[in-house]
């Protein structure tokens, strides 16, 4: 359908409210992808800068030439008004119907969206999931029963108080860590230097309970964040046409705005996972606020699909041991994206096209850098992409995915749960096989990677904007990492300390 300009501008500010200026600034303080040749030394570099020189473009019309519309070479207006050379890249294949690169930018007018191919039948039972409940009637959802869109939920509701008690009842030791300040690493020098808190944002620290890659080489755990959105159906159409399945990390505020799209993702056998209610950097929140963000998103996904996800991705990758402990206590395994050094991650930076902070050419250069590093890895990988904006969907369906499908040797593109060699049913609490795939929290405790104690009655692990619980702190023990990996994913995950 085609939206009038007035309609689009009335709606889009709501969609992007979850990504405020402070959060975007923090996002840009994190590492980006670097060329393969620089990967070995990037950890000692002061910044993950774009490549100083790129491979020359092939002759026009060759199979690997960049697509028409905005070919490699020339110049473009860089953020800040300066003129910079366009990054050079080559693609094996593109979508013949792709939007020209010259129109994929922050100023492009909104184009027509694609209607959902079908509407899920209320009460139907998914045949692809054992023991799945019938599909709920999303038309009965009452937005008044949920928090306001794109703002942190209050912590004094009956629902949040119940979730706080459930976390308390697990006995998990939540680290006594102060919430971080907005603004990322430069505005949190002490926290960034504290390696014991394992803050992914500043340095890339991960624990055994974090999923960062796929165990098998050439496996790509395909993920999209921040939807559903107006243009998610466009992405779904391409995925369906090419028999591809993905993991969608869903923002709760989007789920209640686009319940039919969420149902279509679920019934299309894509994996649904949690991406918080309002997309804040989680380390900046109190314990109770983190619980509210995760709890409401779990709830709306279950209310729309009938099942509860058991994986989550922290917005901006912003996670430390306090956020990990709460996530695991709520039955959610953290899923990051592949990171090859403290300053280099498998992030296409597609999100920033919409805001004019990067160009589509740079995104495709980032993608080529990812491919170059993939060829040197003995394991599979996970890439950060988004389905929130028209630009992110167009670069995915027009360029990145067609290029990936033409790759030789071929990639095995599938949802994260499948790239971990698990069935799709293991992605949801109601259908998970607990005997072969122990729930995240119990697996961590059984392996000794997560410590619990008998929590005093009424202790919630901090209140309001407080720093956290008064317990000794979570222990993600290095000595228990391998046994945890075996419990969770049959020893398939790579070890990251």
């Amino acid at each position: 359908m085609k939206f009038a300009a007035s309609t689009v501008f009335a709606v889009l500010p709501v969609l992007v409210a979850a990504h405020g200026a402070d959060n975007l600034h923090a996002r840009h303080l994190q590492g980006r992808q670097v060329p393969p040749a620089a990967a070995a030394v990037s950890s000692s570099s002061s910044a993950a800068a774009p490549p100083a020189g790129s491979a020359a473009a092939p002759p026009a019309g060759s199979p690997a030439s960049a697509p028409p519309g905005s070919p490699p070479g020339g110049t473009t207006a860089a953020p800040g008004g300066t003129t910079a050379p366009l990054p050079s890249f080559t693609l094996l294949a593109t979508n013949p119907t792709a939007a020209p690169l010259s129109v994929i930018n922050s100023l492009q007018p909104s184009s027509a969206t694609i209607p959902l191919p079908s509407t899920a039948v209320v009460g139907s039972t998914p045949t692809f999931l054992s023991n799945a409940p019938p599909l709920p009637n999303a038309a009965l959802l009452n937005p008044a029963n949920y928090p306001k869109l794109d703002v942190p939920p209050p912590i004094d509701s009956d629902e949040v108080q119940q979730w706080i008690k459930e976390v308390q009842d697990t006995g998990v030791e939540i680290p006594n860590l102060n919430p971080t300040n907005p603004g990322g690493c430069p505005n949190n020098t002490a926290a960034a230097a504290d390696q014991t808190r394992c803050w992914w944002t500043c340095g890339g620290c991960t624990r055994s309970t974090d999923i960062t890659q796929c165990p098998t080489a050439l496996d790509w755990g395909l993920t999209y964040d921040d939807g559903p959105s107006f243009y998610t159906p466009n992405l779904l159409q391409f995925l369906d046409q090419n028999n591809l399945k993905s993991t969608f990390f869903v923002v709760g505020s989007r789920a209640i705005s686009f319940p039919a799209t969420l149902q279509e993702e679920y019934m299309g056998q894509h994996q649904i996972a949690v991406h918080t209610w309002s997309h804040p950097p989680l380390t900046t929140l109190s314990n109770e606020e983190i619980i509210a963000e995760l709890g409401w998103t779990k709830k709306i996904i279950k209310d729309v699909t009938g099942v509860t996800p058991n994986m989550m991705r922290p917005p901006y990758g912003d996670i430390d041991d306090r956020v990990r402990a709460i996530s695991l206590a709520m039955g959610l395994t953290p899923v990051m994206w592949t990171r090859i050094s403290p300053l280099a991650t498998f992030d296409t930076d597609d999100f920033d096209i919409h805001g004019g902070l990067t160009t589509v050419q740079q995104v495709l250069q980032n993608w080529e850098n990812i491919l170059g590093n993939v060829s040197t890895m003995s394991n599979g990988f996970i890439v950060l992409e988004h389905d929130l904006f028209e630009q992110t969907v167009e670069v995915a369906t027009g360029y990145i995915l067609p290029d990936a499908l033409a790759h030789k040797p071929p990639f095995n593109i599938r949802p994260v749960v499948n790239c971990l060699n698990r069935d799709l049913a293991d992605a949801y609490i109601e259908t998970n096989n607990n005997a072969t795939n122990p729930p995240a929290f119990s697996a961590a405790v059984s392996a000794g990677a997560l410590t619990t104690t008998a929590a005093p009655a009424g202790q919630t692990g901090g209140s309001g904007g407080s720093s956290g619980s008064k317990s000794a702190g979570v222990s993600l023990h290095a000595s228990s990492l391998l046994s945890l990996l075996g419990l969770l994913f049959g020893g398939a995950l790579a070890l990251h300390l």
Side-chain angles (χ1 to χ4, degrees):
M1 89 186 87
K2 181 74 173 179
F3 289 93
S6 58
T7 303
V8 172
F9 284 109
V11 175
L12 286 184
V14 178
L15 284 176
V16 301
H19 300 269
D22 287 342
N23 293 353
L24 283 174
H25 177 64
R27 176 184 176 82
H28 279 279
L29 297 174
Q30 300 176 20
R32 295 294 181 209
Q33 188 47 243
V34 295
V41 297
S42 60
S43 60
S44 61
S45 302
S46 60
S54 303
S62 67
S65 62
S70 184
T75 61
T76 185
T82 60
T83 300
L86 286 174
S88 182
F89 55 88
T90 59
L91 299 177
L92 296 174
T94 62
N95 185 343
T97 64
L101 294 182
S102 59
V103 305
I104 303 178
N105 56 60
S106 61
L107 301 178
Q108 71 182 90
S110 298
S111 58
T113 60
I114 297 175
L116 290 171
S118 62
T119 302
V121 178
V122 174
S124 60
T125 301
T127 58
F128 53 89
L129 292 178
S130 300
N131 303 316
L135 194 68
N137 186 350
L140 299 180
L141 291 174
N142 182 0
N145 294 332
Y146 300 87
K148 295 180 180 179
L149 301 185
D150 299 317
V151 296
I155 63 173
D156 59 353
S157 67
D158 291 342
E159 293 89 348
V160 174
Q161 288 299 307
Q162 177 61 34
W163 299 328
I164 291 172
K165 183 178 184 303
E166 290 171 358
V167 170
Q168 169 199 327
D169 288 346
T170 66
V172 64
E173 292 186 350
I174 302 174
N176 189 17
L177 299 173
N178 290 321
T180 62
N181 301 314
C185 310
N187 202 30
N188 293 273
T189 54
D194 181 8
Q195 297 183 7
T196 64
R197 74 186 296 156
C198 195
W199 188 13
W200 190 89
T201 301
C202 303
C205 180
T206 61
R207 298 296 192 189
S208 65
T209 48
D210 298 342
I211 297 170
T212 63
Q213 58 191 31
C214 304
T216 305
L218 297 178
D219 274 12
W220 177 8
L222 186 64
T223 69
Y224 293 96
D225 291 13
D226 295 356
S229 76
F230 290 113
Y231 290 93
T232 301
N234 299 49
L235 175 61
L236 289 174
Q237 181 188 68
F238 184 90
L239 295 177
D240 289 345
Q241 289 173 344
N242 291 276
N243 195 30
L244 297 176
K245 306 300 179 184
S246 174
T247 298
F248 286 96
F249 289 98
V250 172
V251 171
S253 294
R254 302 284 72 72
I256 197 170
S257 301
F258 298 92
T261 303
L262 181 59
Q263 286 188 337
E264 185 67 22
E265 292 173 348
Y266 170 65
M267 295 300 286
Q269 302 183 46
H270 301 280
Q271 179 186 359
I272 308 301
V274 168
H275 199 44
T276 73
W277 180 264
S278 67
H279 206 280
L282 288 177
T283 68
T284 67
L285 306 184
S286 71
N287 294 352
E288 293 85 352
E289 290 168 337
I290 296 170
I291 292 170
E293 287 280 348
L294 298 177
W296 278 113
T297 311
K298 288 175 61 178
K299 175 175 169 55
I300 185 59
I301 291 174
K302 182 177 182 180
D303 291 347
V304 172
T305 66
V307 293
T308 309
N310 58 18
M311 293 185 186
M312 62 83 74
R313 173 173 282 171
Y316 316 104
D318 191 46
I319 193 170
D320 60 12
D321 280 346
R322 183 170 65 96
V323 176
R324 287 185 184 92
I326 294 171
S327 298
L328 290 167
M330 298 183 73
L332 296 169
T333 297
V335 179
M336 312 301 287
W337 50 96
T338 300
R339 189 166 190 160
I340 58 175
S341 83
L343 293 175
T345 74
F346 279 23
D347 178 359
T348 63
D349 199 21
D350 62 339
F351 178 88
D352 286 330
I353 301 173
H354 178 83
L357 299 175
T358 195
T359 64
V360 65
Q361 290 86 0
Q362 183 60 59
V363 168
L364 293 176
Q365 176 67 76
N366 295 339
W367 164 246
E368 285 216 329
N369 291 338
I370 290 171
L371 289 183
N373 285 304
V374 164
S375 65
T376 68
M377 296 166 56
S378 61
N379 51 268
F381 60 100
I382 300 172
V383 178
L384 178 62
E385 296 181 87
H386 301 80
D387 64 315
L388 178 61
F389 297 128
E390 178 179 11
Q391 294 91 338
T392 62
V393 171
E394 285 183 343
V395 72
T397 60
Y399 302 96
I400 292 177
L401 287 172
D403 187 56
L405 289 169
H407 186 270
K408 300 297 180 185
F411 291 125
N412 189 13
I413 305 174
R414 47 189 184 154
V416 169
V417 67
N418 295 141
C419 94
L420 298 174
N421 299 317
R422 295 292 178 184
D423 293 333
L424 182 60
D426 289 335
Y428 307 107
I429 291 175
E430 291 81 4
T431 60
N432 180 62
N433 186 334
N434 292 343
T436 59
N437 185 46
F441 180 72
S442 61
V445 172
S446 297
L450 188 64
T451 300
T452 62
T453 62
Q459 180 173 311
T460 66
S463 60
S466 62
S467 61
S469 78
K470 297 180 175 59
S471 61
V474 70
S475 299
L476 294 164
H477 300 299
S479 61
S480 303
L481 297 183
L482 289 177
S483 56
L484 173 64
L485 295 177
L487 278 171
L488 280 175
F489 304 109
L493 286 181
L495 182 62
H496 292 272
L497 294 178

